[in-house]
Amino acid sequence: MTHLDPPGGHGRPAAPSSSDLDQPADRTSAAAALARCVSVEAAKFAAAHWGRTPLLSRAAELPNPAGFTDLLSPADADELLSRRGLRTPFLRVAKDGQVLPAARYTGGGGAGAEIDDQVLDEKVLQLYADGATLVLQGLHRTWPALIDFTRDLSLAVGQPLQVNAYLTPPDSQGFATHYDTHDVFVLQVDGRKHWRIHPPVLPDPLERQPWGGRADEVTATAQGPAALDVVLEPGDALYLPRGWLHSAQAQESSSLHLTVGIRALTRYALVEELLGLAAEDQRLRATLPFGTDVADPDAIEPELTETVEALREWLLRADPAAVATRLRQRAWSASRPAPIRPLAQAAAITALTADSRVLARKGLRWQLVGEGDRVTLRLFDRTISLPAPCEPAVRALLAGPPIRVGDLPGLDTDADRLTLTRRLLREAALTPAQG
């Protein structure tokens, strides 16, 4: 286990946990997913590393001796590249620090596939054999094992995630030294890769502050001594906070690693949502005086002073509940719950009886709020209004273990219980319990 002190470190809160209004999924599997990525206890990772400093975890320090091939093996990557009808942007190709045009590895899909951007395996072969790195993107949406793993890990860190896979030929490097605007877990699946890590030139960069805007600083820093110079072996994991510079080169054999990107919410997200709400203040909506020369600092100064005062007064009255609502909409929509099978789900709705057992869709984030004679169920992509007497049954369905429909509390008849359960199955908030 290796960790580094941050440059001019600053305090960070622990990774957020879900409240009693947000009960997504199985916390045991979430803890297990995080344990696969870090060699320290979750509390120590949150306090000492989260958003602050890198952490190297060797395979021998992690719980799965088989490494990460169960998530995506080289054979799985080959299947994706050859037999799954992959299209852009689910593949990106890079060589010598440059991303290649998609036209160099895509083309028509043949008879019955009226598309012109399907990945062509023979072209991919030529590029890979010539030293190009293949980047399989969005695997948290396309590969079953990573769909499940990403959902569990997202719950553990409390943030939306994305997963890419990097396939690099022997002795090759796909990208020059750079930094990401999101934290990452690097999971080495196969082969060996040499990583050089340098401190940030811009700590905690936002998505609107990519490394290209500081290319000269990045290059100069990369020429200095590395903060971490290490070869990742199969089964090793590396956590990098956003902003830390890194480059990676495959060694004597080809390399496959997964990069789990953490799209962390920041304090600047609070600023953005506060400014969005500030449009409610009439003083802040006022038009600038007629004829104002906006290029003249002296003309702008009195307006700026009044605007700052109005904004300060408004911020002192800001409603945390309103900000939380906007953040919920932003965060929940970025992290989907577990996939459902539409045909099986429709059949379950038709066959539902009082003896059927159902449970919450795994990974579902939800919030239940009473409003007079109605209760509002907020999901990641919709809001459902129900009669207030349904509240105990809805909580039993979403917050607990699998439950028999006929045992739902708070409703008088099985007909009412079946009506509610069918509604929530149709809204994809529930799934049939297996077994």
Side-chain angles (χ1 to χ4, degrees):
M1 174 181 68
T2 301
H3 65 272
L4 301 172
D5 293 327
H10 47 85
R12 295 296 182 98
S17 60
S18 299
S19 71
D20 59 348
L21 297 179
D22 176 7
Q23 301 284 346
D26 181 356
R27 300 189 184 283
T28 300
S29 58
L34 180 61
R36 295 193 66 176
C37 301
V38 298
S39 55
V40 297
E41 295 294 327
K44 182 175 181 180
F45 173 72
H49 299 284
W50 175 252
R52 289 174 55 91
T53 181
L55 173 65
L56 171 63
S57 302
R58 291 298 190 183
E61 301 171 304
L62 297 173
N64 192 340
F68 304 108
T69 54
D70 60 313
L71 300 180
L72 185 82
S73 68
D76 296 334
D78 250 349
E79 180 172 336
L80 276 166
L81 291 166
S82 61
R83 301 178 66 88
R84 294 298 183 101
L86 207 64
R87 301 176 64 185
T88 56
F90 288 105
L91 178 67
R92 190 163 47 119
V93 179
K95 186 179 181 185
D96 299 328
Q98 300 295 319
V99 176
L100 304 183
R104 292 190 57 181
Y105 53 88
T106 61
E114 305 302 324
I115 55 176
D116 59 5
D117 66 343
Q118 187 162 332
V119 170
L120 301 179
D121 42 17
E122 62 273 9
K123 291 189 176 183
V124 170
L125 168 61
Q126 293 169 5
L127 292 171
Y128 183 74
D130 196 34
T133 289
L134 312 179
V135 186
L136 291 164
Q137 302 192 132
L139 293 172
H140 59 293
R141 296 287 293 130
T142 60
W143 193 252
L146 285 170
I147 291 172
D148 296 339
F149 174 75
T150 306
R151 182 186 63 247
D152 291 338
L153 186 58
S154 177
L155 174 60
V157 303
Q159 306 287 349
L161 305 181
Q162 64 184 53
V163 181
N164 294 344
Y166 292 77
L167 299 108
T168 307
D171 302 311
S172 298
Q173 179 174 328
F175 297 92
T177 301
H178 65 284
Y179 66 75
D180 294 319
T181 59
H182 51 268
D183 297 15
V184 298
F185 291 113
V186 177
L187 310 178
Q188 187 68 27
V189 178
D190 187 62
R192 302 165 70 247
K193 206 159 197 182
H194 180 201
W195 286 76
R196 286 176 55 83
I197 312 298
H198 293 81
V201 297
L202 177 68
D204 299 329
L206 302 172
E207 288 193 10
R208 63 180 64 184
Q209 298 171 313
W211 76 274
R214 291 172 170 78
D216 291 342
E217 295 176 80
V218 169
T219 300
T221 302
Q223 291 173 350
L228 183 62
D229 191 320
V230 63
V231 174
L232 292 189
E233 309 274 354
D236 291 346
L238 174 65
Y239 166 72
L240 288 179
R242 58 195 165 107
W244 282 76
L245 309 186
H246 55 275
S247 63
Q249 182 169 8
Q251 298 299 285
E252 67 283 349
S253 62
S254 59
S255 166
L256 167 60
H257 78 262
L258 300 171
T259 293
V260 182
I262 306 167
R263 309 304 290 265
L265 293 175
T266 66
R267 285 181 176 173
Y268 193 77
L270 293 175
V271 172
E272 291 176 323
E273 300 306 344
L274 283 167
L275 290 178
L277 289 167
E280 299 172 3
D281 192 301
Q282 183 175 354
R283 289 174 64 189
L284 294 171
R285 299 198 308 270
T287 305
L288 294 178
F290 180 82
T292 298
D293 182 357
V294 295
D296 181 359
D298 291 335
I300 290 297
E301 191 277 333
E303 291 302 316
L304 181 61
T305 299
E306 186 170 344
T307 300
V308 169
E309 181 60 28
L311 180 60
R312 178 165 47 240
E313 291 179 6
W314 184 87
L315 289 174
L316 291 173
R317 304 191 307 269
D319 180 8
V323 176
T325 295
R326 293 174 69 98
L327 286 174
R328 172 181 59 81
Q329 293 168 345
R330 177 192 290 212
W332 286 13
S333 63
S335 185
R336 290 184 58 85
I340 60 168
R341 299 177 180 272
L343 302 186
Q345 188 91 347
I349 294 171
T350 301
L352 194 72
T353 70
D355 288 324
S356 301
R357 297 172 71 251
V358 294
L359 76 165
R361 182 179 178 181
K362 194 169 184 180
L364 183 74
R365 287 170 165 82
W366 59 276
Q367 194 176 57
L368 197 61
V369 180
E371 299 173 334
D373 62 351
R374 308 291 294 180
V375 62
T376 298
L377 175 61
R378 297 170 180 163
L379 303 178
F380 72 102
D381 64 343
R382 71 195 72 183
T383 297
I384 302 168
S385 179
L386 298 164
C390 292
E391 181 172 352
V394 173
R395 290 195 181 277
L397 287 164
L398 296 180
I403 187 170
R404 178 178 172 273
V405 174
D407 294 334
L408 291 177
L411 298 175
D412 295 331
T413 67
D414 280 348
D416 290 339
R417 298 182 184 100
L418 287 165
T419 297
L420 173 64
T421 306
R422 287 193 185 101
R423 172 76 186 278
L424 296 183
L425 283 166
R426 188 174 294 110
E427 298 285 359
L430 301 176
T431 60
Q434 301 300 315

